[in-house]
Amino acid sequence: MLIRLFKSGHPIHSIVIIIIAIVLWLPSILKQQIYSLEEFSAPLFELFVHLSGTNHIVQSCISLVLIIVTALITNSLISNSNITSKTSLLGFFFFIFFIFSNTNYLESNRFLIINLLLIITLHELFGLFKTEFTLAPLYNASLLLGIAAMFYLPLLIMVLFLWAVLLVLRINKWREYIVGLIGISLPLIFILVWQFYNDESYILINNLISLFNLEFVNIQQTYLNLIILMLLAGIIIPSFLYQINTLFEKNIALRQKLTINIWLFVFTLIAILIDFKSTVSLSLLAIPSTVLLSHLSFNIRKIKWIDIYVSIVFLIIIINQYSSLFDA
């Protein structure tokens, strides 16, 4: 089964996962994607689309590169943080597993770019354990989150995530809290000044105000997408509860890292709910969910039924990706 195959990974298994990613990616390049600039509400994403163009083949290729790079970094962080073993490829596999779980997740590169920024942010925050000088990695993490927020404005709430991390690490100096706020605010201030100079500041201000206009949106999904979403919830929620219940069985460093991931899951979920207009934004949960499921799969003894469950869901994901080619 898949979990047992990648739990004690061999270098050749990395190639297998990359092939799996390409197989799951192929339908996106065969199916025309439509990009509408009117739907974008984040300045850096508009800039990215203008620079890279709206050609669906180019966008799909960029998506694949972003997915594989982010998956590799995620796996490296998970294994080096002792969440799994050094040779495990669970992080690599589960990120691919989550990011391809919905046929809509590859419609744009917005959340794939954000996921790359989030895993680098997590790397910086985990680095706080290794240094007495916390201001530099904390500033790097907050600046990355600020840049991510310029791709998806609800992520501005992640300043609360940074403060939660400081509480977890028992860092009580006021400077760290101010640095976190400054770092995440800088990209926003820079863009506001630039738009003010060009007499366009109303655009970003209106987008920020619109975040407070909570509206019920009827989101259309295929039956397979909905089934997969429910099946994923059926394994992510138990993984979340398992991680919370086993925290105090770990050493202090690992316990704090897992707690940081729990808070990352909570605050990314809140950011999604603030402006939930499409299930595409759910792909932001891929990184914390990958850590949750990697931790569960590596530590639980009776892995058989979880392995079967994940393998069945993975098979449905493959069917779902290719069934989208036949949609009218």
Side-chain angles (χ1 to χ4, degrees):
M1 292 293 180
L2 294 173
I3 293 180
R4 293 179 182 177
L5 177 65
F6 301 122
K7 187 174 182 178
S8 298
H10 188 275
I12 193 67
H13 293 159
S14 298
I15 300 175
V16 172
I17 296 175
I18 292 174
I19 293 173
I20 289 173
I22 293 173
V23 169
L24 290 170
W25 165 79
L26 282 175
S28 71
I29 202 169
L30 296 174
K31 183 179 180 181
Q32 180 76 38
Q33 302 287 355
I34 300 174
Y35 295 86
S36 173
L37 289 174
E38 295 179 357
E39 297 177 358
F40 300 159
S41 59
L44 287 187
F45 188 45
E46 292 184 29
L47 176 62
F48 172 80
V49 173
H50 280 299
L51 292 175
S52 62
T54 57
N55 184 285
H56 81 284
I57 296 178
V58 174
Q59 292 288 341
S60 294
C61 291
I62 293 174
S63 295
L64 180 63
V65 172
L66 287 170
I67 289 168
I68 292 176
V69 170
T70 306
L72 287 170
I73 297 174
T74 302
N75 187 78
S76 176
L77 183 64
I78 289 174
S79 58
N80 291 333
S81 300
N82 297 319
I83 296 173
T84 63
S85 68
K86 297 290 185 181
T87 59
S88 174
L89 293 173
L90 287 174
F92 194 0
F93 167 71
F94 278 126
F95 184 80
I96 299 295
F97 175 80
F98 284 117
I99 213 67
F100 283 103
S101 60
N102 191 300
T103 54
N104 295 326
Y105 286 177
L106 300 181
E107 286 183 359
S108 70
N109 301 114
R110 178 199 302 245
F111 299 106
L112 299 179
I113 295 171
I114 294 173
N115 272 323
L116 179 58
L117 293 171
L118 284 180
I119 194 59
I120 299 174
T121 298
L122 206 57
H123 180 272
E124 292 290 335
L125 293 176
F126 283 4
L128 292 173
F129 297 90
K130 303 175 183 178
T131 179
E132 296 180 2
F133 305 98
T134 57
L135 289 179
L138 181 62
Y139 175 76
N140 292 338
S142 61
L143 185 61
L144 287 167
L145 287 176
I147 295 171
M150 295 302 97
F151 284 92
Y152 185 61
L153 293 177
L155 286 175
L156 288 170
I157 197 176
M158 296 301 280
V159 67
L160 300 179
F161 164 68
L162 286 176
W163 291 346
V165 170
L166 294 176
L167 291 174
V168 169
L169 300 180
R170 299 180 180 178
I171 299 174
N172 300 316
K173 297 177 182 178
W174 64 269
R175 291 182 303 171
E176 277 77 1
Y177 289 86
I178 298 300
V179 165
L181 179 60
I182 291 173
I184 204 168
S185 300
L186 274 178
L188 176 65
I189 294 171
F190 177 81
I191 290 175
L192 277 173
V193 170
W194 175 258
Q195 290 187 345
F196 179 79
Y197 177 78
N198 291 281
D199 198 25
E200 296 177 344
S201 57
Y202 65 90
I203 298 175
L204 184 56
I205 293 173
N206 288 340
N207 288 333
L208 288 170
I209 293 174
S210 68
L211 295 179
F212 298 96
N213 298 328
L214 300 180
E215 299 177 1
F216 177 79
V217 179
N218 185 19
I219 299 173
Q220 300 294 329
Q221 286 290 303
T222 65
Y223 288 115
L224 275 179
N225 276 337
L226 289 173
I227 290 171
I228 292 171
L229 184 61
M230 289 186 290
L231 290 173
L232 290 179
I235 194 169
I236 291 174
I237 294 174
S239 299
F240 184 85
L241 296 175
Y242 174 82
Q243 192 166 109
I244 291 176
N245 291 332
T246 59
L247 276 178
F248 291 97
E249 299 175 6
K250 314 298 180 184
N251 60 60
I252 294 176
L254 181 56
R255 181 165 70 240
Q256 289 178 328
K257 290 176 182 178
L258 293 175
T259 303
I260 289 173
N261 181 68
I262 289 172
W263 281 118
L264 179 62
F265 184 92
V266 170
F267 280 103
T268 50
L269 182 59
I270 292 173
I272 291 168
L273 294 176
I274 288 175
D275 189 40
F276 189 51
K277 292 184 174 64
S278 169
T279 55
V280 180
S281 59
L282 289 174
S283 60
L284 287 178
L285 296 174
I287 289 174
S289 297
T290 295
V291 177
L292 287 171
L293 202 48
S294 297
H295 176 255
L296 173 70
S297 301
F298 187 77
N299 289 280
I300 199 168
R301 292 183 179 180
K302 297 181 179 180
I303 197 67
K304 176 182 176 181
W305 295 112
I306 296 177
D307 202 352
I308 293 173
Y309 187 94
V310 168
S311 299
I312 292 173
V313 175
F314 185 70
L315 179 60
I316 298 174
I317 288 172
I318 295 175
I319 295 171
N320 189 34
Q321 287 291 336
Y322 279 89
S323 66
S324 66
L325 295 176
F326 304 99
D327 291 341

